Amino acid sequence: MKIAVVGTGYVGLVTGTCLAESGNDVVCVDNNAAKIAVLQEGRLPIYEPGLQELVQRNCREGRLRFTTDLGEAVAEARLIFVAVGTPPTADGSADLSAVFAVTEAVGRLVNGLPVCPWEPRILVVKSTVPVGTNARLTARLAELGCAQRLEVASNPEFLKEGAAVEDFMKPDRVVVGVRRGEVAEVLRELYAPFLRTDRPFLVMSPESAEMTKYVANAMLATKISFINEMANLCDRLGADIQDVRRGIGHDQRIGFQFLFPGPGYGGSCFPKDVQAIIAMGRQTGCPMHLMQAVDTVNNAQKQILFRKMLAHYQGRLQGLTVAIWGLAFKPRTDDIREAPSLVLIDALLQQGVQLRVHDPEAMRNVQTLYGQRLYYARNPYDAVQGADALVVVTEWAEFRNPDFALIRQLMKGHVIFDGRNIFEPRTVETLGFTYYGIGRGRRLNLPDNVTPSTQ
Ligand code: NAD
């Protein structure tokens, strides 16, 4: 099939590339000319495991192209995917300006093209959009006079950054929201190569498809805030959340997945989608008390490492040198949107702390934000040189089993704040470190009442 993908970010680039890999003829469009230029040179503007090789192969074989020219991409396309951003507005609701701009531009282009045998074309909305957006886009296309020639389908994306190619190639399920069965059949054909192992292709109304995406993210964000809150209580009571996890996870109604305590969720999806669902509730008179709490808990959790440091150093952080391992919002990505590391960096810089940071992939993005204010270490050991404390913020695999003897030698102080519980407290303490995890039962006086000292 001939396909256009509009918006060549994390979702659009993975979607376009994987659809090309299954034999389709794909043109990816973006209005960011610098991004398209990088892609045309065979490089990637983002880090995503396994993606570069796929992009290069499909470009070489002529199934994948990149352009800033929407007209060129739409001319032949039977399916036009929309994968532009939907960031939060000031009141938390999703900003749909890019989705509408693309839909209107596509509608006008189609109006100017001769009618072709594969019409109606299908505008497939992959961006995460509030419930009712499909209907609003359909109404807008009707106003533009092209509702008969362009059908809107909803097809939320569930891929995870860091495993996006794998997730797209072998999805748990594909959800499509359509008004006509024929549209679902075109999409079923498109996705058939990815659903060989009996993974379900779920057809529903556009409203249910749009809602499904928000409910999925709301559930996952809730699990994270739940376990974080329990971990904080463990810290106060002297229980170890790792043991508690084991204690609850074997109950099959609960399970182990997505119940890892940490410094709060980040990324471009959970924070904004939780806010958007709260906004949808507000707009429809259905208060989202639980989602509000999930958001509040998460915002507080992003302060947890800083608060533990304040408590350990009794409010006197100025002049310390701190190493940070992990900056991306999660491992195997370079994405730092809403990352907990940024909250910690801001707080520590404000206290006059010298920071030595390291991340396998996200350094360039962090450097764009902080410039010379941080030291960008070549590797984890370079980061800990002369440091008073080490803070683990992102659990990259290479941080899990380091040479602690070398770290002890290189560091000035010997305190570890493990924001992901990747180390075993007893092992690390035996090696001469003071250890703080999340919910490991350290009886730190984690006070709301310790205020930073500026002396
Ligand atoms: P992104 O910011 O990485 O990419 C969006 C791209 O759209 C950018 O390259 C931008 O330049 C481009 N763009 C914006 N306006 C445009 C226009 N008018 N014409 C052409 N291009 C335009 O965003 P993303 O992370 O890929 O997310 C895209 C959507 O997918 C969002 O709605 C997001 O919620 C959803 N989503 C994201 C993920 C994820 O893990 N990142 C997962 C599932 C769903």
Side-chain angles (χ1 to χ4, degrees):
M1 276 187 230
K2 289 194 186 298
I3 294 169
V5 178
V6 190
T8 311
Y10 285 87
V11 168
L13 183 57
V14 171
T15 300
T17 306
C18 293
L19 291 175
E21 177 71 6
S22 66
N24 297 290
D25 185 353
V26 180
V27 185
C28 288
V29 193
D30 206 287
N31 62 0
N32 180 334
K35 196 175 263 195
I36 292 299
V38 165
L39 286 161
Q40 285 171 338
E41 286 167 15
R43 294 183 292 123
L44 251 56
I46 56 165
Y47 171 76
E48 185 59 47
L51 188 57
Q52 174 125 23
E53 188 199 330
L54 283 188
V55 169
Q56 288 173 346
R57 184 171 63 238
N58 283 283
C59 286
R60 220 173 27 242
E61 293 175 6
R63 290 188 298 264
L64 181 61
R65 287 182 295 123
F66 299 100
T67 180
T68 53
D69 184 351
L70 185 65
E72 176 196 335
V74 167
E76 301 268 287
R78 181 176 188 189
L79 298 175
I80 300 139
F81 280 85
V82 180
V84 295
T86 48
T89 56
D91 72 354
S93 57
D95 179 351
L96 293 178
S97 55
V99 173
F100 271 87
V102 169
T103 303
E104 288 167 6
V106 171
R108 291 197 174 96
L109 282 164
V110 168
N111 273 342
L113 291 167
V115 177
C116 58
W118 58 85
E119 291 196 8
R121 301 172 195 241
I122 307 171
L123 188 85
V124 189
V125 180
K126 253 207 181 303
S127 301
T128 303
V129 293
V131 179
T133 302
N134 181 305
R136 288 178 59 203
L137 295 174
T138 303
R140 184 69 189 116
L141 290 175
E143 282 167 16
L144 294 173
C146 53
Q148 304 305 315
R149 299 188 59 189
L150 195 54
E151 185 109 19
V152 186
S154 301
N155 174 213
E157 181 52 61
F158 299 100
L159 62 75
K160 303 183 285 294
E161 285 177 27
V165 172
E166 169 96 1
D167 284 348
F168 197 96
M169 292 294 195
K170 293 180 197 158
D172 293 331
R173 76 301 203 188
V174 170
V175 170
V176 298
V178 295
R179 290 180 209 290
R180 290 194 307 120
E182 294 90 315
V183 175
E185 289 317 305
V186 176
L187 292 169
R188 190 191 299 275
E189 190 189 327
L190 179 78
Y191 279 110
F194 306 102
L195 295 170
R196 287 226 178 92
T197 45
D198 283 341
R199 297 302 165 112
F201 180 81
L202 304 171
V203 182
M204 54 186 80
S205 72
E207 289 70 26
S208 298
E210 290 166 337
M211 187 68 181
T212 298
K213 175 65 192 175
Y214 281 106
V215 175
N217 278 357
M219 181 72 217
L220 294 171
T222 301
K223 288 179 100 173
I224 297 174
S225 278
F226 169 80
I227 200 71
N228 283 339
E229 192 161 81
M230 295 306 138
N232 294 344
L233 190 59
C234 284
D235 264 335
R236 301 277 177 148
L237 299 176
D240 184 339
I241 193 71
Q242 297 297 83
D243 290 336
V244 175
R245 272 193 82 240
R246 277 196 290 274
I248 62 169
H250 289 287
D251 183 330
Q252 289 180 9
R253 295 167 303 175
I254 299 173
F256 289 99
Q257 286 197 337
F258 239 71
L259 288 170
F260 294 95
Y265 58 74
S268 69
C269 291
F270 291 174
K272 91 169 162 60
D273 293 349
V274 167
Q275 282 177 37
I277 207 166
I278 293 168
M280 281 187 263
R282 195 171 52 239
Q283 286 153 10
T284 52
C286 179
M288 295 281 109
H289 301 296
L290 182 57
M291 290 300 102
Q292 196 73 61
V294 166
D295 191 48
T296 305
V297 169
N298 194 58
N299 289 333
Q301 195 68 9
K302 284 184 166 180
Q303 300 284 345
I304 194 80
L305 287 167
F306 179 61
R307 288 179 52 221
K308 281 177 187 269
M309 296 179 81
L310 275 182
H312 175 82
Y313 292 104
Q314 298 179 336
R316 290 186 291 274
L317 296 176
Q318 192 172 34
L320 292 178
T321 298
V322 170
I324 297 182
W325 284 3
L327 303 167
F329 85 93
K330 66 172 178 179
R332 293 164 65 83
T333 181
D334 63 348
D335 197 344
I336 58 166
R337 290 178 282 186
E338 305 282 334
S341 64
L342 306 184
V343 175
L344 179 66
I345 289 172
D346 287 341
L348 292 177
L349 283 178
Q350 214 181 13
Q351 293 302 305
V353 173
Q354 304 285 323
L355 291 175
R356 302 173 65 86
V357 302
H358 179 72
D359 187 282
E361 294 295 337
M363 300 278 264
R364 203 179 37 173
N365 287 338
V366 169
Q367 197 157 7
T368 308
L369 286 183
Y370 291 96
Q372 300 301 310
R373 287 186 288 158
L374 312 177
Y375 172 76
Y376 302 95
R378 291 181 302 282
N379 56 50
Y381 298 103
D382 182 25
V384 298
Q385 290 248 17
D388 294 283
L390 163 63
V391 192
V392 179
V393 184
T394 316
E395 70 279 29
W396 283 88
E398 52 255 70
F399 299 156
R400 284 181 183 272
N401 204 6
D403 181 344
F404 282 113
L406 177 58
I407 292 173
R408 202 179 140 68
Q409 220 178 325
L410 292 171
M411 284 179 76
K412 188 161 75 182
H414 299 107
V415 190
I416 295 179
F417 297 89
D418 179 0
R420 301 288 179 171
N421 292 347
I422 61 174
F423 304 139
E424 200 37 62
R426 225 162 299 143
T427 316
V428 178
E429 282 165 354
T430 311
L431 292 164
F433 293 92
T434 303
Y435 176 89
Y436 300 106
I438 307 284
R440 308 306 305 266
R442 303 292 103 163
R443 283 176 171 275
L444 240 191
N445 260 332
L446 238 210
D448 301 315
N449 51 2
V450 169
T451 42
S453 155
T454 44
Q455 311 178 12

